[in-house]
Amino acid sequence: DKALRTHMKCWRGEVRRDSTKAMGQLGKKGGELAIKALCEQLADSDSVVRIVAVESLRRLTNRADPLVMSELLPRMNHKEREVRLAVMYALKRFCNKEGDPELALKILRHIEDEVPEERRAAAELLALASPKAGAEGSRPAVR
């Protein structure tokens, strides 16, 4: 675990990517240290490392962990589309049946995005985050 954290700070991007992925594969064995290390990787200079960190957090945590949410939510507005999409797909896992009105408001700006894939991801996430999520027959409408 300590060796992985050291490699996650390496100057070589591919080493950071591989060690970030490995940290995510530790699963529950990595515990809070793994989650914190992955959250730190969300600020990496390499967008692929950031995406791997998001995907690892999505797999590693199965509930709306406050630290993870506080790190992911601001990245919904990341300058790189791939990072925004990874974050939206990760957030889908954390939505509960009661919905999350605060998250729903943050998603709204992405509904009118010019990129169809981002609109679709936002619509799917909004359907889960809205208080009426889970109602039978409710499906997001995507243009």
Side-chain angles (χ1 to χ4, degrees):
D1 187 34
K2 186 176 181 179
L4 274 178
R5 287 194 313 254
T6 300
H7 283 94
M8 290 170 80
K9 301 300 178 197
C10 180
W11 64 272
R12 294 178 52 205
E14 62 270 9
V15 173
R16 293 193 314 275
R17 285 187 289 256
D18 291 345
S19 56
T20 299
K21 186 174 184 177
M23 182 66 78
Q25 291 172 342
L26 282 176
K28 300 293 181 201
K29 290 182 258 180
E32 284 297 313
L33 287 176
I35 292 172
K36 288 179 183 176
L38 290 168
C39 285
E40 289 173 9
Q41 294 302 91
L42 294 172
D44 193 273
S45 60
D46 184 328
S47 65
V48 176
V49 172
R50 291 189 299 267
I51 292 168
V52 169
V54 170
E55 291 169 350
S56 294
L57 286 167
R58 178 179 49 84
R59 284 191 303 276
L60 189 60
T61 55
N62 60 5
R63 56 180 168 47
D65 181 293
L67 173 62
V68 174
M69 292 298 283
S70 70
E71 292 291 333
L72 289 180
L73 286 175
R75 286 168 174 84
M76 281 183 59
N77 298 320
H78 195 277
K79 64 182 179 180
E80 295 179 42
R81 178 174 38 93
E82 293 82 11
V83 174
R84 291 191 307 267
L85 287 170
V87 168
M88 283 192 266
Y89 286 123
L91 289 172
K92 283 171 49 176
R93 179 178 176 118
F94 301 135
C95 289
N96 59 36
K97 291 181 182 176
E98 293 81 40
D100 186 339
E102 184 180 329
L103 177 58
L105 289 173
K106 292 179 182 190
I107 298 165
L108 285 175
R109 79 175 281 276
H110 299 280
I111 293 294
E112 296 296 323
D113 195 274
E114 61 186 44
V115 180
E117 189 177 9
E118 189 161 342
R119 284 195 311 267
R120 179 181 313 281
E124 290 171 358
L125 182 55
L126 185 60
L128 293 171
S130 66
K132 294 180 184 179
E136 192 158 324
S138 66
R139 294 185 52 140
V142 179
R143 48 185 167 128

